[in-house]
Amino acid sequence: MKKKFWLGLALASVMVVTAACGGNNGKPSEGNGEQAGATNAPEAGKTYNIAISQIVEHPSLDATREGFLAALKDAGLEVNVDYNNAQGDPNNFKSIAEKIASGNADLALGIATNTSSALVEEVKDKPVLFAAVTDPLKEKLVPQLKAPGGNVTGASDTNPEAIVQLMDFIAKELPEVKKVGIIINEGEPNAVVMSDIAQEALSKHGIELVKAPIVNSSDVQQAAQSLVGRVDAVYITLDNTVVEGADAILDVVEKNKIPFFSADRDTVEKGAFATVGFKYFDHGYEVGQMAVEILKNGKKPGELDVRTPEKLDFILNLKAAEAQGITVTEAMKAYVKDPENNIIE
């Protein structure tokens, strides 16, 4: 159920002195002015103020934030973190962005499309980064991916090829699947973009995509139940409202032995069968490295290309397969490039 967001309470900053949150999993570390996007070399002993606007809390987005902060820590930056959780409520996106715009942040981070869009609209005089955004061009966060200019840059969490590969896997390895259900909040632009890519890919195999629309996470279980008997598999995108309710989907698909596919690794670790993806901690870490470039190394946001996922791999959960009535073949396992890390047993 969507939580009430009281401006006087939930907009209160959660201040975390010195970015912490785990190590960097062996990843190396990389890197305000008179006009938007301008930067200066850091002062000795300076503590930076970082403002974060996150649409909701769920494993992928939380891991993105943790990776971002870990990159700052690994680079030796001392930071104060103003963390704002919008609780998935559209009324709060603008309020949070306005608060950040009028505050003393040295850099702002938006996690997810809607919160990032609000920051881009409101924050004009300080660097803005985005993460966990599907299509930054369509949402007009930046005018171009290469050296976008201005005070905004970041990283997309979507490579369309990952969706196509997963749909091709379903068609080839589960030939009995003729209809795939998708639970979707069409108020999330990222979900619509990914759904369209999946639909096009499935149609090439003669497979129908059946939509079960929702408005908030409390609708997820009913939407999942509505697909029982109508579809042969279920798929969810990087749809924050739906991912927040993934436990309800798992309950339905396991009881009814329906194969369940997701667009993110965290949901597979939780109990979906398969995805083509990456670790969101790594995604956030990459954006954190961009923040280091801006704060520590004096780069302007507009000089930094928008990044997209490149290290994609199939991720299979064998326990989930058993719970959903899937027989995992050696041919399925052969899709995984790094079985030690990406076959979950």
Side-chain angles (χ1 to χ4, degrees):
M1 183 175 295
K2 187 184 297 181
K3 302 174 184 175
K4 294 288 185 180
F5 184 95
W6 296 93
L7 190 59
L9 295 176
L11 276 183
S13 304
V14 177
M15 303 302 293
V16 182
V17 180
T18 306
C21 290
N24 63 356
N25 292 345
K27 297 187 68 173
S29 299
E30 296 180 13
N32 301 357
E34 297 178 358
Q35 58 184 0
T39 60
N40 298 307
E43 302 171 13
K46 177 178 174 62
T47 297
Y48 294 93
N49 295 313
I50 306 295
I52 299 175
S53 179
Q54 182 171 317
I55 188 170
V56 292
E57 290 186 340
H58 65 61
S60 295
L61 300 187
D62 293 344
T64 299
R65 185 179 75 251
E66 290 163 6
F68 175 82
L69 294 176
L72 301 183
K73 180 183 179 183
D74 290 345
L77 296 186
E78 297 287 323
V79 302
N80 289 329
V81 181
D82 172 16
Y83 168 59
N84 302 271
N85 174 13
Q87 305 287 358
D89 188 341
N91 294 322
N92 299 321
F93 306 153
K94 183 178 176 66
S95 298
I96 291 172
E98 288 175 340
K99 189 193 81 159
I100 291 173
S102 63
N104 65 346
D106 296 298
L107 180 144
L109 170 68
I111 301 179
T113 299
N114 291 335
T115 41
S116 295
S117 294
L119 284 178
V120 170
E121 183 176 341
E122 298 294 332
V123 181
K124 304 296 185 182
D125 63 347
K126 59 195 70 175
V128 175
L129 294 177
F130 56 80
V133 168
T134 297
D135 192 340
L137 289 178
K138 183 176 180 180
E139 298 307 314
K140 300 181 179 178
L141 301 185
V142 290
Q144 60 196 36
L145 300 182
K146 295 286 186 182
N151 69 318
V152 180
T153 189
S156 169
D157 62 353
T158 301
N159 183 329
E161 183 59 26
I163 304 171
V164 174
Q165 288 180 18
L166 186 61
M167 299 305 113
D168 290 348
F169 173 90
I170 294 171
K172 184 174 182 179
E173 302 303 329
L174 297 172
E176 70 277 11
V177 172
K178 303 303 178 185
K179 294 184 179 182
V180 174
I182 182 169
I183 301 165
I184 182 170
N185 174 12
E186 294 183 305
E188 289 201 30
N190 52 310
V192 174
V193 170
M194 297 182 73
S195 172
D196 289 346
I197 295 170
Q199 185 169 29
E200 182 178 356
L202 289 171
S203 67
K204 293 178 180 179
H205 299 286
I207 299 173
E208 180 183 352
L209 188 70
V210 179
K211 292 183 179 180
I214 66 161
V215 176
N216 56 57
S217 58
S218 64
D219 300 332
V220 170
Q221 185 166 25
Q222 182 176 354
Q225 289 172 336
S226 75
L227 293 172
V228 175
R230 300 170 55 213
V231 302
D232 308 302
V234 172
Y235 168 66
I236 64 171
T237 70
L238 303 175
D239 184 325
N240 297 298
T241 311
V242 176
V243 172
E244 190 179 14
D247 287 336
I249 302 173
L250 286 168
D251 182 62
V252 172
V253 297
E254 289 176 3
K255 286 180 179 176
N256 294 278
K257 302 299 180 185
I258 302 172
F260 176 32
F261 300 85
S262 73
D264 68 293
R265 180 191 182 96
D266 294 290
T267 303
V268 171
E269 290 181 349
K270 179 179 282 192
F273 167 49
T275 191
V276 177
F278 53 91
K279 292 184 178 180
Y280 268 82
F281 181 95
D282 294 345
H283 172 68
Y285 195 95
E286 188 172 42
V287 180
Q289 290 175 322
M290 299 175 81
V292 171
E293 287 292 321
I294 294 166
L295 297 173
K296 187 175 183 179
N297 300 335
K299 291 290 185 70
K300 296 180 180 179
E303 298 173 344
L304 302 177
D305 295 347
V306 174
R307 303 184 186 185
T308 55
E310 295 180 358
K311 296 179 180 179
L312 299 173
D313 196 5
F314 276 83
I315 302 151
L316 306 181
N317 185 326
L318 303 190
K319 288 185 178 179
E322 183 178 358
Q324 295 160 28
I326 303 166
T327 300
V328 179
T329 65
E330 291 303 314
M332 290 179 180
K333 292 180 182 179
Y335 284 81
V336 183
K337 300 172 188 173
D338 181 5
E340 182 177 352
N341 291 307
N342 293 331
I343 292 182
I344 303 167
E345 300 191 58

